[in-house]
Amino acid sequence: MYERDGKKYFVFESHTAHWDGSPANQANRYGEGFINCFYDFHRNLSPTEWVWPLEKFQKFPVEVLHSELFDRGYADKAVLQTVNLWDFYHQGFSTADRHGAIAEAYPGDFLVNGAFDPRAGEPGLDKLEAEHERWNFQGVKLYTASWYGESKGYSLSDPWSYRYLAKSQELGIRNIHVHKGPTVYPLNKDAFDVADVDDAATAFPELRFIIEHVGMPRIEDFCWIATQETNVYGGLSVLMPFLHARPKYFGQVLSELLFFLGEDRLTFGSDFPLWHPKWLIEKFFDFEMPEDVVADYGITLTDEARRKIVGLNAAALYDIEVPAECRLPETETAEADAVVGAEPVSPVAVA
Amino acid sequence: MRSEQTIDSETRLWHALASVLDPELDRPITELEFVTEARISEAGVRVRLRLPTYFCAPNFAFMMVADAYDAARGVVGDGTYIDVALLDHFASEQINSGVAAQNGFGDAFGHEALDELVELRAVFRRKAHTASVDRVARALLRGGSDLDELHGVRLGDIAESEDLERLRRRRDELGLPRGPGALLLLDDRGRPVDRDGVENHLRFARSVRVSAEWNRGFCQSLLHTRYDEPATPQAS
């Protein structure tokens, strides 16, 4: 819960994990390169006082995960996003089983998301079902640009992807988080391609596709897909730290997202421990859209929009009941900021 | 002993490398500080490159290394040994040996990759063009032009600027009209934008430009974080 000026805001952490990137777990140079890459992102965009030593960043205690997110980081709920990387790490990077154990250790605080790779074929479907049976996923995290044997990547609209999405829907796994963002992975050209989201979202209108990192660096392609597909959402981790590093860029990109998706389909994530939610949330509430950006887009960042982004939107995706004092006022009407010049491309979707 | 000739050749080498663009960031690799070494000696040409992350896309990386090789070849001609290498990248070995053997990306990484680079270059040239349109259009809008005027404005009507010059160069690359009579608002296939489509065209162009600028800023600062200090150019 974040409090400011007498108001309370429900905080839903939609992107975090507990990982083991330590040298002991690194299976090869890819494992080493992967965590070091993350560490560069961490160092590059964090205020100096928030930078961790490499050793801690590679592997930190579960207690630290919980206290940083919930005691310092204002979280009311957090989703642990599973990232296996069996080829890089002996015991996997951040696995469903380890996440599940953490969720059980802190009842009510964490949700666990699974992960699948459609190239695993039929056995993978069974595994998904079994893991869901054990951990009760409401979502999964996918990396379409990962290498798998000879394959350099897959598309969400491949036949096997559709089998897995259909299975997910059948099991009640409704939130499909797809990594479409900066490269931290061996990848092919398709990593940057968000077009497959379009097809999958159309084919599965009951599922929600949360595109993590908002397709960076293809945010323009992402925006143009998401404006038409009302079940496509933008996950803001990786954009958030620019509040500190380059607030002007933050303002411009957020304006693009608000323009094309509206305030109901954007979700806050810190990607902790990459960036710490305490400073992200505080700076997000401090942030004022630069005047020239407002003049350009005709969009200001309202209190209601902030409230939705840091908690209400994701709480709705995960069926989390939000305390009364954190909800929108009953008399809330649709935003109608004065627009200079541009009209929205299409009606803003209401979640 | 470095002769005048060597120094002169290294300057030409540096300028040749400056013609190599990061296809995504649309800036010269020299300006981006990706070039850490560019030397000519009796042994031949030696160029060393680096990137913001260990996992930067191997296809982009390959393109840059291959283009750097071609740039160097243009300076020294056939017969001189050229050693171009990318450092600190997960696919360094494959890329470096692939380029050295003058193989394509496909041979270095598998046949399915081969066609992508041609297409990928085209994608980025189109994006660079679109971002250029945004920059020129927005200057006109700031100057008081309205959408009707933008719809009909031709390149010859527009005051000279770096942005306009860059737009013309992008049009050259794509084989699109670039003379004084050419419309500003052409799509990337060279078709005039309908008056109805002007707003959307400009919105998309703005998104492309914002996206590219964000990406460029991110990559440049990541590079500095990774290497702690800017590269020292070996040639001025």
PDB file of all heavy atoms in Angstrom, chain A residues 203-236:
ATOM      1  N   ALA A 203      -7.158 -14.634 -31.845  1.00  0.00           N
ATOM      2  CA  ALA A 203      -7.604 -16.030 -31.782  1.00  0.00           C
ATOM      3  C   ALA A 203      -8.102 -16.415 -30.392  1.00  0.00           C
ATOM      4  O   ALA A 203      -8.922 -17.326 -30.249  1.00  0.00           O
ATOM      5  CB  ALA A 203      -6.459 -16.952 -32.196  1.00  0.00           C
ATOM      6  N   PHE A 204      -7.601 -15.710 -29.361  1.00  0.00           N
ATOM      7  CA  PHE A 204      -7.973 -16.062 -27.984  1.00  0.00           C
ATOM      8  C   PHE A 204      -8.502 -14.841 -27.245  1.00  0.00           C
ATOM      9  O   PHE A 204      -7.836 -14.305 -26.357  1.00  0.00           O
ATOM     10  CB  PHE A 204      -6.775 -16.660 -27.246  1.00  0.00           C
ATOM     11  CG  PHE A 204      -6.354 -17.999 -27.760  1.00  0.00           C
ATOM     12  CD1 PHE A 204      -5.398 -18.110 -28.759  1.00  0.00           C
ATOM     13  CD2 PHE A 204      -6.927 -19.157 -27.256  1.00  0.00           C
ATOM     14  CE1 PHE A 204      -5.013 -19.342 -29.253  1.00  0.00           C
ATOM     15  CE2 PHE A 204      -6.552 -20.411 -27.736  1.00  0.00           C
ATOM     16  CZ  PHE A 204      -5.590 -20.502 -28.735  1.00  0.00           C
ATOM     17  N   PRO A 205      -9.709 -14.382 -27.587  1.00  0.00           N
ATOM     18  CA  PRO A 205     -10.242 -13.166 -26.975  1.00  0.00           C
ATOM     19  C   PRO A 205     -10.474 -13.287 -25.470  1.00  0.00           C
ATOM     20  O   PRO A 205     -10.569 -12.275 -24.784  1.00  0.00           O
ATOM     21  CB  PRO A 205     -11.577 -12.953 -27.701  1.00  0.00           C
ATOM     22  CG  PRO A 205     -11.917 -14.255 -28.334  1.00  0.00           C
ATOM     23  CD  PRO A 205     -10.640 -14.967 -28.576  1.00  0.00           C
ATOM     24  N   GLU A 206     -10.523 -14.506 -24.947  1.00  0.00           N
ATOM     25  CA  GLU A 206     -10.726 -14.692 -23.512  1.00  0.00           C
ATOM     26  C   GLU A 206      -9.427 -14.572 -22.721  1.00  0.00           C
ATOM     27  O   GLU A 206      -9.454 -14.427 -21.500  1.00  0.00           O
ATOM     28  CB  GLU A 206     -11.313 -16.094 -23.233  1.00  0.00           C
ATOM     29  CG  GLU A 206     -12.674 -16.325 -23.873  1.00  0.00           C
ATOM     30  CD  GLU A 206     -13.723 -15.401 -23.299  1.00  0.00           C
ATOM     31  OE1 GLU A 206     -13.794 -15.282 -22.058  1.00  0.00           O
ATOM     32  OE2 GLU A 206     -14.448 -14.772 -24.079  1.00  0.00           O
ATOM     33  N   LEU A 207      -8.303 -14.699 -23.408  1.00  0.00           N
ATOM     34  CA  LEU A 207      -7.018 -14.590 -22.722  1.00  0.00           C
ATOM     35  C   LEU A 207      -6.571 -13.145 -22.723  1.00  0.00           C
ATOM     36  O   LEU A 207      -7.000 -12.349 -23.549  1.00  0.00           O
ATOM     37  CB  LEU A 207      -5.964 -15.459 -23.407  1.00  0.00           C
ATOM     38  CG  LEU A 207      -6.203 -16.968 -23.417  1.00  0.00           C
ATOM     39  CD1 LEU A 207      -5.054 -17.666 -24.155  1.00  0.00           C
ATOM     40  CD2 LEU A 207      -6.322 -17.513 -22.003  1.00  0.00           C
ATOM     41  N   ARG A 208      -5.705 -12.799 -21.782  1.00  0.00           N
ATOM     42  CA  ARG A 208      -5.101 -11.487 -21.736  1.00  0.00           C
ATOM     43  C   ARG A 208      -3.614 -11.619 -22.029  1.00  0.00           C
ATOM     44  O   ARG A 208      -2.941 -12.433 -21.402  1.00  0.00           O
ATOM     45  CB  ARG A 208      -5.261 -10.828 -20.356  1.00  0.00           C
ATOM     46  CG  ARG A 208      -6.675 -10.609 -19.917  1.00  0.00           C
ATOM     47  CD  ARG A 208      -7.276 -11.860 -19.285  1.00  0.00           C
ATOM     48  NE  ARG A 208      -8.449 -11.567 -18.512  1.00  0.00           N
ATOM     49  CZ  ARG A 208      -8.510 -11.618 -17.176  1.00  0.00           C
ATOM     50  NH1 ARG A 208      -7.456 -11.971 -16.481  1.00  0.00           N
ATOM     51  NH2 ARG A 208      -9.618 -11.315 -16.544  1.00  0.00           N
ATOM     52  N   PHE A 209      -3.133 -10.811 -22.928  1.00  0.00           N
ATOM     53  CA  PHE A 209      -1.723 -10.843 -23.313  1.00  0.00           C
ATOM     54  C   PHE A 209      -1.053  -9.593 -22.766  1.00  0.00           C
ATOM     55  O   PHE A 209      -1.328  -8.479 -23.224  1.00  0.00           O
ATOM     56  CB  PHE A 209      -1.597 -10.927 -24.839  1.00  0.00           C
ATOM     57  CG  PHE A 209      -2.098 -12.233 -25.387  1.00  0.00           C
ATOM     58  CD1 PHE A 209      -3.451 -12.406 -25.657  1.00  0.00           C
ATOM     59  CD2 PHE A 209      -1.229 -13.295 -25.597  1.00  0.00           C
ATOM     60  CE1 PHE A 209      -3.935 -13.624 -26.130  1.00  0.00           C
ATOM     61  CE2 PHE A 209      -1.697 -14.522 -26.083  1.00  0.00           C
ATOM     62  CZ  PHE A 209      -3.051 -14.681 -26.351  1.00  0.00           C
ATOM     63  N   ILE A 210      -0.233  -9.817 -21.751  1.00  0.00           N
ATOM     64  CA  ILE A 210       0.479  -8.695 -21.142  1.00  0.00           C
ATOM     65  C   ILE A 210       1.873  -8.678 -21.734  1.00  0.00           C
ATOM     66  O   ILE A 210       2.681  -9.585 -21.486  1.00  0.00           O
ATOM     67  CB  ILE A 210       0.545  -8.842 -19.604  1.00  0.00           C
ATOM     68  CG1 ILE A 210      -0.871  -8.929 -19.027  1.00  0.00           C
ATOM     69  CG2 ILE A 210       1.277  -7.669 -18.989  1.00  0.00           C
ATOM     70  CD1 ILE A 210      -1.268 -10.316 -18.589  1.00  0.00           C
ATOM     71  N   ILE A 211       2.128  -7.700 -22.539  1.00  0.00           N
ATOM     72  CA  ILE A 211       3.408  -7.642 -23.240  1.00  0.00           C
ATOM     73  C   ILE A 211       4.405  -6.896 -22.357  1.00  0.00           C
ATOM     74  O   ILE A 211       4.325  -5.660 -22.209  1.00  0.00           O
ATOM     75  CB  ILE A 211       3.253  -6.953 -24.605  1.00  0.00           C
ATOM     76  CG1 ILE A 211       2.117  -7.619 -25.391  1.00  0.00           C
ATOM     77  CG2 ILE A 211       4.560  -6.994 -25.390  1.00  0.00           C
ATOM     78  CD1 ILE A 211       2.197  -9.139 -25.491  1.00  0.00           C
ATOM     79  N   GLU A 212       5.289  -7.686 -21.774  1.00  0.00           N
ATOM     80  CA  GLU A 212       6.236  -7.094 -20.830  1.00  0.00           C
ATOM     81  C   GLU A 212       7.292  -6.300 -21.585  1.00  0.00           C
ATOM     82  O   GLU A 212       7.775  -6.732 -22.629  1.00  0.00           O
ATOM     83  CB  GLU A 212       6.900  -8.191 -19.992  1.00  0.00           C
ATOM     84  CG  GLU A 212       5.932  -8.960 -19.086  1.00  0.00           C
ATOM     85  CD  GLU A 212       5.347  -8.097 -17.965  1.00  0.00           C
ATOM     86  OE1 GLU A 212       5.806  -6.947 -17.780  1.00  0.00           O
ATOM     87  OE2 GLU A 212       4.421  -8.565 -17.286  1.00  0.00           O
ATOM     88  N   HIS A 213       7.594  -5.156 -21.004  1.00  0.00           N
ATOM     89  CA  HIS A 213       8.565  -4.226 -21.582  1.00  0.00           C
ATOM     90  C   HIS A 213       7.998  -3.540 -22.832  1.00  0.00           C
ATOM     91  O   HIS A 213       8.741  -2.979 -23.638  1.00  0.00           O
ATOM     92  CB  HIS A 213       9.906  -4.930 -21.867  1.00  0.00           C
ATOM     93  CG  HIS A 213      10.303  -5.884 -20.787  1.00  0.00           C
ATOM     94  ND1 HIS A 213      10.304  -5.537 -19.455  1.00  0.00           N
ATOM     95  CD2 HIS A 213      10.657  -7.175 -20.820  1.00  0.00           C
ATOM     96  CE1 HIS A 213      10.649  -6.587 -18.721  1.00  0.00           C
ATOM     97  NE2 HIS A 213      10.877  -7.595 -19.526  1.00  0.00           N
ATOM     98  N   VAL A 214       6.715  -3.604 -22.951  1.00  0.00           N
ATOM     99  CA  VAL A 214       5.957  -2.916 -24.016  1.00  0.00           C
ATOM    100  C   VAL A 214       6.617  -2.981 -25.381  1.00  0.00           C
ATOM    101  O   VAL A 214       6.565  -2.044 -26.157  1.00  0.00           O
ATOM    102  CB  VAL A 214       5.619  -1.433 -23.646  1.00  0.00           C
ATOM    103  CG1 VAL A 214       4.574  -1.391 -22.555  1.00  0.00           C
ATOM    104  CG2 VAL A 214       6.839  -0.634 -23.250  1.00  0.00           C
ATOM    105  N   GLY A 215       7.212  -4.151 -25.663  1.00  0.00           N
ATOM    106  CA  GLY A 215       7.756  -4.357 -26.996  1.00  0.00           C
ATOM    107  C   GLY A 215       9.008  -3.565 -27.292  1.00  0.00           C
ATOM    108  O   GLY A 215       9.444  -3.503 -28.446  1.00  0.00           O
ATOM    109  N   MET A 216       9.582  -2.912 -26.272  1.00  0.00           N
ATOM    110  CA  MET A 216      10.808  -2.152 -26.504  1.00  0.00           C
ATOM    111  C   MET A 216      11.851  -3.041 -27.174  1.00  0.00           C
ATOM    112  O   MET A 216      12.086  -4.150 -26.714  1.00  0.00           O
ATOM    113  CB  MET A 216      11.351  -1.637 -25.179  1.00  0.00           C
ATOM    114  CG  MET A 216      12.423  -0.588 -25.334  1.00  0.00           C
ATOM    115  SD  MET A 216      13.945  -0.991 -24.495  1.00  0.00           S
ATOM    116  CE  MET A 216      14.781   0.594 -24.635  1.00  0.00           C
ATOM    117  N   PRO A 217      12.516  -2.634 -28.215  1.00  0.00           N
ATOM    118  CA  PRO A 217      12.473  -1.331 -28.858  1.00  0.00           C
ATOM    119  C   PRO A 217      11.454  -1.180 -29.977  1.00  0.00           C
ATOM    120  O   PRO A 217      11.627  -0.319 -30.832  1.00  0.00           O
ATOM    121  CB  PRO A 217      13.893  -1.215 -29.427  1.00  0.00           C
ATOM    122  CG  PRO A 217      14.234  -2.621 -29.799  1.00  0.00           C
ATOM    123  CD  PRO A 217      13.561  -3.502 -28.785  1.00  0.00           C
ATOM    124  N   ARG A 218      10.470  -1.997 -30.004  1.00  0.00           N
ATOM    125  CA  ARG A 218       9.447  -1.870 -31.071  1.00  0.00           C
ATOM    126  C   ARG A 218       8.151  -1.310 -30.513  1.00  0.00           C
ATOM    127  O   ARG A 218       7.070  -1.799 -30.836  1.00  0.00           O
ATOM    128  CB  ARG A 218       9.134  -3.234 -31.673  1.00  0.00           C
ATOM    129  CG  ARG A 218      10.234  -3.882 -32.402  1.00  0.00           C
ATOM    130  CD  ARG A 218      10.524  -3.228 -33.743  1.00  0.00           C
ATOM    131  NE  ARG A 218      11.765  -3.783 -34.239  1.00  0.00           N
ATOM    132  CZ  ARG A 218      12.960  -3.409 -33.825  1.00  0.00           C
ATOM    133  NH1 ARG A 218      13.078  -2.436 -32.951  1.00  0.00           N
ATOM    134  NH2 ARG A 218      14.031  -3.997 -34.279  1.00  0.00           N
ATOM    135  N   ILE A 219       8.276  -0.314 -29.640  1.00  0.00           N
ATOM    136  CA  ILE A 219       7.048   0.155 -29.008  1.00  0.00           C
ATOM    137  C   ILE A 219       6.056   0.690 -30.020  1.00  0.00           C
ATOM    138  O   ILE A 219       4.856   0.627 -29.794  1.00  0.00           O
ATOM    139  CB  ILE A 219       7.302   1.205 -27.907  1.00  0.00           C
ATOM    140  CG1 ILE A 219       8.213   2.320 -28.400  1.00  0.00           C
ATOM    141  CG2 ILE A 219       7.859   0.561 -26.668  1.00  0.00           C
ATOM    142  CD1 ILE A 219       8.202   3.520 -27.478  1.00  0.00           C
ATOM    143  N   GLU A 220       6.534   1.215 -31.159  1.00  0.00           N
ATOM    144  CA  GLU A 220       5.578   1.738 -32.139  1.00  0.00           C
ATOM    145  C   GLU A 220       4.732   0.600 -32.705  1.00  0.00           C
ATOM    146  O   GLU A 220       3.521   0.745 -32.864  1.00  0.00           O
ATOM    147  CB  GLU A 220       6.282   2.522 -33.258  1.00  0.00           C
ATOM    148  CG  GLU A 220       7.076   1.712 -34.257  1.00  0.00           C
ATOM    149  CD  GLU A 220       8.496   1.393 -33.809  1.00  0.00           C
ATOM    150  OE1 GLU A 220       8.774   1.444 -32.595  1.00  0.00           O
ATOM    151  OE2 GLU A 220       9.331   1.088 -34.683  1.00  0.00           O
ATOM    152  N   ASP A 221       5.353  -0.534 -32.983  1.00  0.00           N
ATOM    153  CA  ASP A 221       4.600  -1.681 -33.496  1.00  0.00           C
ATOM    154  C   ASP A 221       3.647  -2.206 -32.428  1.00  0.00           C
ATOM    155  O   ASP A 221       2.496  -2.541 -32.710  1.00  0.00           O
ATOM    156  CB  ASP A 221       5.541  -2.800 -33.947  1.00  0.00           C
ATOM    157  CG  ASP A 221       6.415  -2.373 -35.120  1.00  0.00           C
ATOM    158  OD1 ASP A 221       5.969  -1.496 -35.900  1.00  0.00           O
ATOM    159  OD2 ASP A 221       7.528  -2.912 -35.255  1.00  0.00           O
ATOM    160  N   PHE A 222       4.154  -2.270 -31.196  1.00  0.00           N
ATOM    161  CA  PHE A 222       3.313  -2.725 -30.094  1.00  0.00           C
ATOM    162  C   PHE A 222       2.084  -1.839 -29.940  1.00  0.00           C
ATOM    163  O   PHE A 222       0.961  -2.322 -29.825  1.00  0.00           O
ATOM    164  CB  PHE A 222       4.111  -2.745 -28.785  1.00  0.00           C
ATOM    165  CG  PHE A 222       3.247  -2.896 -27.569  1.00  0.00           C
ATOM    166  CD1 PHE A 222       2.628  -4.107 -27.301  1.00  0.00           C
ATOM    167  CD2 PHE A 222       3.002  -1.823 -26.723  1.00  0.00           C
ATOM    168  CE1 PHE A 222       1.788  -4.245 -26.191  1.00  0.00           C
ATOM    169  CE2 PHE A 222       2.181  -1.953 -25.618  1.00  0.00           C
ATOM    170  CZ  PHE A 222       1.564  -3.168 -25.360  1.00  0.00           C
ATOM    171  N   CYS A 223       2.277  -0.545 -29.946  1.00  0.00           N
ATOM    172  CA  CYS A 223       1.164   0.396 -29.770  1.00  0.00           C
ATOM    173  C   CYS A 223       0.101   0.198 -30.838  1.00  0.00           C
ATOM    174  O   CYS A 223      -1.099   0.207 -30.545  1.00  0.00           O
ATOM    175  CB  CYS A 223       1.656   1.845 -29.809  1.00  0.00           C
ATOM    176  SG  CYS A 223       2.436   2.371 -28.271  1.00  0.00           S
ATOM    177  N   TRP A 224       0.543   0.015 -32.070  1.00  0.00           N
ATOM    178  CA  TRP A 224      -0.426  -0.086 -33.153  1.00  0.00           C
ATOM    179  C   TRP A 224      -1.184  -1.409 -33.138  1.00  0.00           C
ATOM    180  O   TRP A 224      -2.292  -1.498 -33.636  1.00  0.00           O
ATOM    181  CB  TRP A 224       0.260   0.206 -34.500  1.00  0.00           C
ATOM    182  CG  TRP A 224       0.368   1.681 -34.641  1.00  0.00           C
ATOM    183  CD1 TRP A 224       1.202   2.505 -33.946  1.00  0.00           C
ATOM    184  CD2 TRP A 224      -0.445   2.533 -35.441  1.00  0.00           C
ATOM    185  NE1 TRP A 224       0.960   3.818 -34.275  1.00  0.00           N
ATOM    186  CE2 TRP A 224      -0.032   3.873 -35.174  1.00  0.00           C
ATOM    187  CE3 TRP A 224      -1.479   2.313 -36.354  1.00  0.00           C
ATOM    188  CZ2 TRP A 224      -0.617   4.973 -35.811  1.00  0.00           C
ATOM    189  CZ3 TRP A 224      -2.053   3.408 -36.987  1.00  0.00           C
ATOM    190  CH2 TRP A 224      -1.624   4.712 -36.714  1.00  0.00           C
ATOM    191  N   ILE A 225      -0.581  -2.428 -32.572  1.00  0.00           N
ATOM    192  CA  ILE A 225      -1.321  -3.676 -32.385  1.00  0.00           C
ATOM    193  C   ILE A 225      -2.271  -3.512 -31.198  1.00  0.00           C
ATOM    194  O   ILE A 225      -3.456  -3.838 -31.257  1.00  0.00           O
ATOM    195  CB  ILE A 225      -0.349  -4.840 -32.121  1.00  0.00           C
ATOM    196  CG1 ILE A 225       0.408  -5.182 -33.395  1.00  0.00           C
ATOM    197  CG2 ILE A 225      -1.094  -6.055 -31.585  1.00  0.00           C
ATOM    198  CD1 ILE A 225       1.602  -6.086 -33.153  1.00  0.00           C
ATOM    199  N   ALA A 226      -1.722  -3.011 -30.094  1.00  0.00           N
ATOM    200  CA  ALA A 226      -2.489  -2.969 -28.848  1.00  0.00           C
ATOM    201  C   ALA A 226      -3.690  -2.042 -28.932  1.00  0.00           C
ATOM    202  O   ALA A 226      -4.685  -2.249 -28.240  1.00  0.00           O
ATOM    203  CB  ALA A 226      -1.571  -2.553 -27.694  1.00  0.00           C
ATOM    204  N   THR A 227      -3.604  -1.023 -29.787  1.00  0.00           N
ATOM    205  CA  THR A 227      -4.733  -0.094 -29.863  1.00  0.00           C
ATOM    206  C   THR A 227      -5.965  -0.787 -30.420  1.00  0.00           C
ATOM    207  O   THR A 227      -7.091  -0.396 -30.144  1.00  0.00           O
ATOM    208  CB  THR A 227      -4.343   1.174 -30.663  1.00  0.00           C
ATOM    209  OG1 THR A 227      -5.222   2.226 -30.328  1.00  0.00           O
ATOM    210  CG2 THR A 227      -4.389   0.937 -32.150  1.00  0.00           C
ATOM    211  N   GLN A 228      -5.756  -1.832 -31.181  1.00  0.00           N
ATOM    212  CA  GLN A 228      -6.883  -2.525 -31.797  1.00  0.00           C
ATOM    213  C   GLN A 228      -7.329  -3.769 -31.043  1.00  0.00           C
ATOM    214  O   GLN A 228      -8.431  -4.253 -31.241  1.00  0.00           O
ATOM    215  CB  GLN A 228      -6.514  -2.948 -33.216  1.00  0.00           C
ATOM    216  CG  GLN A 228      -6.265  -1.769 -34.133  1.00  0.00           C
ATOM    217  CD  GLN A 228      -5.460  -2.170 -35.345  1.00  0.00           C
ATOM    218  OE1 GLN A 228      -5.935  -2.938 -36.177  1.00  0.00           O
ATOM    219  NE2 GLN A 228      -4.245  -1.679 -35.456  1.00  0.00           N
ATOM    220  N   GLU A 229      -6.434  -4.323 -30.242  1.00  0.00           N
ATOM    221  CA  GLU A 229      -6.752  -5.566 -29.543  1.00  0.00           C
ATOM    222  C   GLU A 229      -6.987  -5.256 -28.072  1.00  0.00           C
ATOM    223  O   GLU A 229      -6.045  -4.994 -27.341  1.00  0.00           O
ATOM    224  CB  GLU A 229      -5.593  -6.569 -29.679  1.00  0.00           C
ATOM    225  CG  GLU A 229      -5.186  -6.892 -31.098  1.00  0.00           C
ATOM    226  CD  GLU A 229      -6.117  -7.895 -31.757  1.00  0.00           C
ATOM    227  OE1 GLU A 229      -7.052  -8.385 -31.089  1.00  0.00           O
ATOM    228  OE2 GLU A 229      -5.913  -8.182 -32.946  1.00  0.00           O
ATOM    229  N   THR A 230      -8.220  -5.321 -27.641  1.00  0.00           N
ATOM    230  CA  THR A 230      -8.523  -4.869 -26.280  1.00  0.00           C
ATOM    231  C   THR A 230      -8.075  -5.861 -25.213  1.00  0.00           C
ATOM    232  O   THR A 230      -8.157  -5.551 -24.028  1.00  0.00           O
ATOM    233  CB  THR A 230     -10.024  -4.599 -26.115  1.00  0.00           C
ATOM    234  OG1 THR A 230     -10.735  -5.797 -26.441  1.00  0.00           O
ATOM    235  CG2 THR A 230     -10.465  -3.480 -27.032  1.00  0.00           C
ATOM    236  N   ASN A 231      -7.614  -7.047 -25.600  1.00  0.00           N
ATOM    237  CA  ASN A 231      -7.083  -7.980 -24.613  1.00  0.00           C
ATOM    238  C   ASN A 231      -5.553  -7.978 -24.584  1.00  0.00           C
ATOM    239  O   ASN A 231      -4.931  -8.898 -24.075  1.00  0.00           O
ATOM    240  CB  ASN A 231      -7.631  -9.402 -24.830  1.00  0.00           C
ATOM    241  CG  ASN A 231      -7.332  -9.936 -26.227  1.00  0.00           C
ATOM    242  OD1 ASN A 231      -7.125  -9.179 -27.170  1.00  0.00           O
ATOM    243  ND2 ASN A 231      -7.309 -11.249 -26.357  1.00  0.00           N
ATOM    244  N   VAL A 232      -4.961  -6.918 -25.126  1.00  0.00           N
ATOM    245  CA  VAL A 232      -3.507  -6.763 -25.067  1.00  0.00           C
ATOM    246  C   VAL A 232      -3.173  -5.649 -24.079  1.00  0.00           C
ATOM    247  O   VAL A 232      -3.760  -4.574 -24.135  1.00  0.00           O
ATOM    248  CB  VAL A 232      -2.931  -6.435 -26.462  1.00  0.00           C
ATOM    249  CG1 VAL A 232      -1.454  -6.076 -26.366  1.00  0.00           C
ATOM    250  CG2 VAL A 232      -3.119  -7.628 -27.395  1.00  0.00           C
ATOM    251  N   TYR A 233      -2.254  -5.937 -23.192  1.00  0.00           N
ATOM    252  CA  TYR A 233      -1.849  -5.012 -22.133  1.00  0.00           C
ATOM    253  C   TYR A 233      -0.368  -4.703 -22.249  1.00  0.00           C
ATOM    254  O   TYR A 233       0.393  -5.479 -22.839  1.00  0.00           O
ATOM    255  CB  TYR A 233      -2.111  -5.645 -20.764  1.00  0.00           C
ATOM    256  CG  TYR A 233      -3.562  -5.848 -20.432  1.00  0.00           C
ATOM    257  CD1 TYR A 233      -4.336  -6.789 -21.111  1.00  0.00           C
ATOM    258  CD2 TYR A 233      -4.174  -5.086 -19.432  1.00  0.00           C
ATOM    259  CE1 TYR A 233      -5.673  -6.975 -20.811  1.00  0.00           C
ATOM    260  CE2 TYR A 233      -5.512  -5.268 -19.118  1.00  0.00           C
ATOM    261  CZ  TYR A 233      -6.258  -6.212 -19.817  1.00  0.00           C
ATOM    262  OH  TYR A 233      -7.582  -6.393 -19.507  1.00  0.00           O
ATOM    263  N   GLY A 234       0.032  -3.609 -21.647  1.00  0.00           N
ATOM    264  CA  GLY A 234       1.445  -3.242 -21.649  1.00  0.00           C
ATOM    265  C   GLY A 234       2.036  -3.346 -20.257  1.00  0.00           C
ATOM    266  O   GLY A 234       1.552  -2.672 -19.334  1.00  0.00           O
ATOM    267  N   GLY A 235       3.044  -4.191 -20.076  1.00  0.00           N
ATOM    268  CA  GLY A 235       3.772  -4.301 -18.818  1.00  0.00           C
ATOM    269  C   GLY A 235       4.901  -3.285 -18.805  1.00  0.00           C
ATOM    270  O   GLY A 235       5.725  -3.266 -19.719  1.00  0.00           O
ATOM    271  N   LEU A 236       4.934  -2.436 -17.774  1.00  0.00           N
ATOM    272  CA  LEU A 236       5.809  -1.269 -17.813  1.00  0.00           C
ATOM    273  C   LEU A 236       7.200  -1.439 -17.216  1.00  0.00           C
ATOM    274  O   LEU A 236       7.969  -0.466 -17.182  1.00  0.00           O
ATOM    275  CB  LEU A 236       5.118  -0.092 -17.105  1.00  0.00           C
ATOM    276  CG  LEU A 236       3.796   0.363 -17.709  1.00  0.00           C
ATOM    277  CD1 LEU A 236       3.216   1.508 -16.882  1.00  0.00           C
ATOM    278  CD2 LEU A 236       3.987   0.830 -19.156  1.00  0.00           C
TER     279      LEU A 236
END
